[in-house]
């Protein structure tokens, strides 16, 4: 009988970073380099490797959902400016580099957005001009680094178009374009893995007035799940992916629990080894609402094993949430583990052997875009020009690792001290005043004055040499100092 080990990689697309050797928050997620070696050994041994990746829209949507109807266009414009700032193509490139190192057999994607636009907002005509397709970009980036995947199943969840404020007319009327967001849950299968029986569906419980008119928002936020059967080392495995509701206000957390219950009911009759991954918006560290029955606990009560806690694959906390909405934080401050991998029906066939959180990528935005997104005098979103074009782009520190601010300034101080010491103690030729042997006919008075004459003649030249040497040394010091302060950080940035 074949037996597989299960290596899991809860991966975060919003925080993944190429060539980033530290794999998590300061309290100690498994180091990336060791996780990379484990992944290679697992693949060589025929183990099963899976990953869960929240791709992140790139901007917060809560303020849009909560905004009154008359404020929605401005809220969309602000979110759009943040989306441009967070630069998904650069994030996808970094995520692909990380995933390619682990080469998971199966990847569950959440928030695989498709963004489309139209120049004039028309609610009767859906926007069709593609702006960004997160899924296509990620698959292409994976292929560029030699990791080939195909889309096994994609489930469209929320699909909505909203007006975006572009400015105002001279008469004070708003100029509105259309922005359409299509959210998708997707399963990617590595090209050398056989798969079949793809399925997907939406949950009947969701956040929105169509489900419950008392819910105080105007938008239906749909959620769903996807599943596929993959064959690895001769063993069939059922793999599912989901993204549960994130809303916590009041009793709305019950929606998330209801969706988790639906998922367990759908998978109840499954006899194959079952792996369920996703962003559950529930788990260790997540604050609970009043009277909440967490989706995480519901999954455990339904017989699922949280792979991260399995004793055969010990590791640290594995927190994966959350970055700032605009990704402006320079250090991850993860305190929640809500990106989860559950397993069931594994007895006798496989057991977890290792896991890691991939990333996060520490990043720096350009100073202008790092400021809170706002609007100019005519209502134009910050970070865009009058034609809606991009003014500047964020810089991602992904190809090269940049020192932290504290380490960088310590280095500069050390360099300054070294150069100052060099300036003070540099062995320069000291002036020596030697008098020529006085002539035999010289009188004592002439002999006494002779060194003084020599000093008056030759010491100015030696003093000039001293001054030149110190000028060169001081020039080198200031050039080195400003070069280090200016170009060292820039050399470690990669423009997106």
């Amino acid at each position: 009988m074949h037996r597989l080990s299960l290596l899991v990689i809860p991966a975060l697309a919003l925080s993944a970073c190429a060539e980033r050797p530290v794999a998590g928050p300061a309290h100690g997620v498994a180091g990336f380099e060791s996780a990379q070696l484990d992944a290679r050994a697992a693949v060589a041994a025929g183990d099963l490797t899976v990953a869960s990746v929240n791709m992140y829209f790139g901007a917060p949507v809560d303020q849009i959902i909560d905004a009154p109807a008359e404020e929605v266009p401005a809220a969309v414009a602000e979110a759009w400016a943040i989306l441009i700032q967070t630069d998904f193509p650069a994030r996808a490139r970094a995520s692909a580099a990380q995933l390619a190192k682990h080469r998971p057999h199966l990847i569950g994607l959440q928030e695989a957005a498709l963004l489309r636009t139209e120049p004039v907002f028309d609610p009767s005509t859906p926007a069709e001009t593609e702006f960004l397709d997160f899924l296509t970009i990620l698959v292409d980036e994976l292929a560029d680094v030699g990791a080939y995947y195909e889309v096994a199943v994609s489930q469209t969840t929320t699909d909505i178009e909203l007006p975006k404020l572009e400015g105002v007319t001279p008469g004070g009327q708003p100029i509105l374009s259309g922005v359409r967001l299509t959210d998708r849950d997707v399963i990617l299968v590595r090209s050398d893995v056989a798969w079949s029986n793809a399925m997907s569906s939406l949950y009947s419980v969701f956040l929105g007035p169509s489900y419950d008119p008392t819910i105080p928002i105007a938008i239906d936020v749909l959620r769903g799940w996807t599943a596929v059967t993959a064959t690895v080392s001769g063993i069939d495995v059922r793999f599912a992916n989901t993204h549960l509701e994130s809303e916590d206000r009041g009793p709305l957390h019950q929606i998330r629990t209801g969706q988790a219950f639906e998922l367990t009911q759908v998978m109840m009759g499954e006899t194959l080894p079952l792996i369920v991954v996703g962003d559950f918006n529930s788990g260790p560290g997540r604050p609970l609402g009043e009277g909440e029955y967490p989706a995480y606990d519901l999954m455990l009560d339904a017989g699922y094993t949280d792979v991260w806690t399995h004793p055969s694959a010990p590791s640290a906390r594995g927190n994966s949430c959350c970055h700032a909405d605009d990704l402006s934080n320079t250090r991850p401050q993860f305190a929640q583990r809500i990106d989860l991998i559950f397993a069931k029906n594994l007895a006798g066939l496989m057991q977890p052997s290792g896991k890691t959180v991939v990333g996060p990528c520490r990043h720096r935005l350009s100073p202008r875009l790092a400021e809170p997104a706002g609007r100019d005098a005519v209502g134009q979103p910050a970070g865009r020009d009058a034609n809606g074009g991009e003014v500047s782009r964020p810089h991602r520190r992904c190809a090269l690792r940049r020192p932290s601010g504290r380490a960088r300034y310590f280095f500069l101080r050390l360099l300054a001290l070294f150069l100052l010491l060099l300036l003070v103690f540099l062995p320069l030729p000291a002036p020596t005043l030697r008098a020529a042997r006085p002539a035999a006919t010289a009188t004592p008075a002439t002999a006494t004055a002779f060194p003084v004459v020599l000093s008056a003649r030759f010491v100015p030249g030696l003093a000039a040499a001293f001054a030149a040497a110190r000028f060169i040394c001081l020039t080198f010091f200031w050039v080195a100092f400003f070069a280090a302060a200016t170009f060292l950080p820039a050399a470690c940035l990669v423009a997106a």
Side-chain angles (χ1 to χ4, degrees):
M1 175 182 295
H2 288 86
R3 182 182 177 89
L4 288 175
S5 294
L6 172 63
L7 182 78
V8 301
I9 311 172
L12 300 178
L14 66 92
S15 60
C17 174
E19 304 299 327
R20 179 77 176 97
V22 179
H27 51 66
V29 175
F32 181 79
E33 293 299 330
S34 61
Q36 177 183 346
L37 295 175
D38 290 344
R40 291 178 177 175
V43 172
D47 292 355
L48 172 63
T49 309
V50 302
S52 178
V53 181
N54 185 315
M55 304 179 75
Y56 183 49
F57 293 145
V61 296
D62 291 345
Q63 67 264 32
I64 299 175
I65 294 175
D66 296 336
E70 65 275 10
E71 298 179 9
V72 166
V76 172
E78 292 182 5
W80 189 262
I82 295 175
L83 182 144
I84 299 301
Q85 167 184 316
T86 53
D87 197 352
F88 178 76
R91 293 190 287 122
R93 192 176 310 119
S95 297
Q98 292 281 29
L99 290 169
K101 292 178 180 179
H102 295 276
R103 291 182 56 81
H105 298 84
L106 302 160
I107 304 175
L109 302 178
Q110 307 92 43
E111 298 191 23
L114 171 60
L115 292 162
R116 289 169 282 190
T117 62
E118 60 180 354
V120 179
F121 176 63
D122 182 357
S124 64
T125 305
E128 295 295 344
T129 302
E130 182 178 305
F131 181 78
L132 281 175
D133 184 343
F134 285 20
L135 179 58
T136 299
I137 292 172
L138 179 62
V139 171
D140 289 346
E141 291 290 349
L142 285 166
D144 287 345
V145 292
Y148 298 98
Y149 288 83
E150 58 180 315
V151 177
V153 56
S154 174
Q155 173 64 57
T156 296
T157 55
T158 301
D159 188 355
I160 187 170
E161 181 172 350
L162 295 172
K164 177 168 74 79
L165 184 63
E166 298 290 350
V168 294
T169 66
Q173 296 299 312
I175 301 173
L176 303 178
S177 65
V179 173
R180 182 180 176 189
L181 169 65
T182 304
D183 188 16
R184 297 168 296 185
D185 295 330
V186 178
I187 292 178
L188 297 182
V189 180
R190 209 172 68 190
S191 59
D192 60 341
V193 175
W195 59 273
S196 62
N197 195 21
M199 297 177 64
S200 66
S201 184
L202 296 173
Y203 294 119
S204 62
V205 180
F206 58 88
L207 180 71
S210 297
Y211 172 70
D212 184 349
T214 65
I215 294 178
I217 65 171
I219 300 172
D220 288 336
V221 182
L222 305 180
R223 306 282 184 170
W225 58 268
T226 53
V228 69
T229 298
T231 303
V232 179
S233 297
I235 297 178
D236 291 336
V237 177
R238 191 66 172 165
F239 179 79
N241 170 52
T242 191
H243 189 186
L244 303 186
E245 179 54 50
S246 61
E247 184 58 69
D248 287 317
R249 290 173 296 182
L252 297 180
H253 56 74
Q254 297 174 8
I255 295 173
R256 177 168 56 250
T257 304
Q259 292 170 350
F261 178 75
E262 281 193 43
L263 180 63
T264 60
Q265 294 301 298
V266 169
M267 303 295 170
M268 180 178 290
E270 185 58 67
T271 58
L272 293 175
L274 176 59
I275 301 167
V276 181
V277 309
D279 181 351
F280 284 77
N281 281 303
S282 177
R286 176 82 171 192
L288 298 181
E290 183 178 355
E292 178 177 358
Y293 177 30
Y296 177 81
D297 291 352
L298 188 149
M299 295 293 293
L300 296 179
D301 293 343
Y304 289 84
T305 298
D306 178 1
V307 173
W308 198 273
T309 64
H310 196 280
S312 66
S315 186
R317 295 180 185 175
N319 293 344
S320 59
C321 180
C322 295
H323 284 292
D325 289 336
D326 62 357
L327 303 185
S328 60
N329 56 301
T330 58
R331 292 178 179 272
Q333 298 177 343
F334 297 157
Q336 303 176 29
R337 186 165 63 84
I338 61 176
D339 300 276
L340 306 171
I341 296 182
F342 290 103
K344 193 176 182 181
N345 304 337
L346 301 187
L349 290 175
M350 63 179 69
Q351 66 177 8
S353 63
K355 63 263 186 178
T356 183
V357 173
V358 175
C361 169
R362 297 192 329 196
H363 54 270
R364 177 180 181 274
L365 301 180
S366 59
R368 171 163 40 186
L369 290 182
E371 298 173 359
R375 312 191 67 74
D376 61 21
V378 296
Q380 183 64 28
R384 307 289 287 180
D385 61 23
N387 297 319
E390 187 175 345
V391 173
S392 58
R393 297 171 64 87
H395 296 277
R396 300 285 297 177
R397 185 169 61 258
C398 292
L400 295 177
R401 189 181 173 191
R402 184 187 182 191
S404 67
R406 180 177 299 178
R408 188 166 61 255
Y409 290 120
F410 173 79
F411 170 78
L412 291 179
R413 289 194 298 268
L414 189 63
L415 177 63
L417 178 62
F418 171 78
L419 290 174
L420 284 174
L421 293 174
L422 185 67
L423 177 65
V424 173
F425 295 106
L426 180 69
L428 295 175
T432 56
L433 306 179
R434 293 188 305 161
R437 184 181 298 276
T441 58
T443 63
T446 305
T448 302
F450 194 74
V452 177
V453 173
L454 279 179
S455 179
R457 182 177 301 171
F458 294 108
V459 169
L462 293 171
F466 253 108
R470 293 190 179 278
F471 174 79
I472 292 172
C473 199
L474 283 171
T475 301
F476 174 79
F477 166 74
W478 288 114
V479 169
F481 180 86
F482 285 112
T486 303
F487 298 112
L488 179 63
C492 294
L493 291 174
V494 176

